[in-house]
């Protein structure tokens, strides 16, 4: 769970990456003591996979960002309705860019 800047609690689906990363890193640190070469090969494959995922999802995240910006402009007169929802989505998106290591790569759009 995560708390936004208005103290609303919500389920942060993107946080799955952080939990998984912790489990993997903990396991790999234990395995390093037994077989460092094996761990190095896993880390190399993980780096390659992360790069692939980034390239695969970059266009999608850019389109999401563009849609958020467009709808913030389109619904700005509906201050207490749809606009508020897009404002929250925008804040959530920006929070993930700054707080989640994987999303920092998308910070330039």
């Amino acid at each position: 769970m995560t708390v936004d800047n208005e103290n609303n609690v919500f389920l942060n689906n993107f946080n799955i990456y952080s939990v998984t990363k912790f489990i993997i890193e903990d396991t790999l640190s234990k395995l390093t003591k037994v077989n460092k070469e094996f761990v190095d090969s896993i880390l190399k494959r993980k780096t390659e996979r992360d790069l692939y995922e980034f390239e695969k999802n970059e266009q999608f995240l850019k389109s999401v960002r563009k849609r958020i910006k467009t709808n913030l402009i389109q619904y700005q007169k509906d201050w207490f309705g749809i606009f508020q929802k897009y404002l929250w989505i925008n804040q959530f998106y920006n929070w993930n860019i700054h707080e989640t290591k994987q999303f920092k790569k998308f910070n330039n759009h």
Side-chain angles (χ1 to χ4, degrees), residues 12 17 22 29 31 37 43 49 59 64-65 67 69 71 74 76 78-79 82-83 93 102 107:
N12 179 8
Y17 176 79
F22 171 77
S29 70
L31 282 172
E37 292 79 20
L43 290 173
R49 189 215 50 176
Q59 274 311 110
V64 167
R65 182 68 185 143
R67 175 169 271 178
K69 287 180 177 182
N71 287 335
Q74 180 179 347
Q76 64 186 334
D78 184 18
W79 179 255
I82 295 172
F83 179 79
Y93 183 94
Q102 285 297 97
N107 199 10

Side-chain angles (χ1 to χ4, degrees), residues 49-92:
R49 189 215 50 176
D50 287 349
L51 181 60
Y52 171 78
E53 286 295 320
F54 171 74
E55 291 169 353
K56 181 178 164 189
N57 293 317
E58 182 176 22
Q59 274 311 110
F60 171 73
L61 285 174
K62 284 183 178 183
S63 70
V64 167
R65 182 68 185 143
K66 183 178 179 181
R67 175 169 271 178
I68 291 170
K69 287 180 177 182
T70 299
N71 287 335
L72 280 170
I73 293 168
Q74 180 179 347
Y75 296 108
Q76 64 186 334
K77 292 183 181 179
D78 184 18
W79 179 255
F80 293 104
I82 295 172
F83 179 79
Q84 288 294 315
K85 292 174 181 17
Y86 276 104
L87 193 60
W88 187 91
I89 290 169
N90 185 56
Q91 290 172 345
F92 181 68

Side-chain angles (χ1 to χ4, degrees), residues 90-107:
N90 185 56
Q91 290 172 345
F92 181 68
Y93 183 94
N94 289 336
W95 178 84
N96 274 287
I97 287 173
H98 298 293
E99 297 296 326
T100 307
K101 193 175 185 179
Q102 285 297 97
F103 281 83
K104 285 182 182 179
K105 297 173 184 175
F106 299 101
N107 199 10

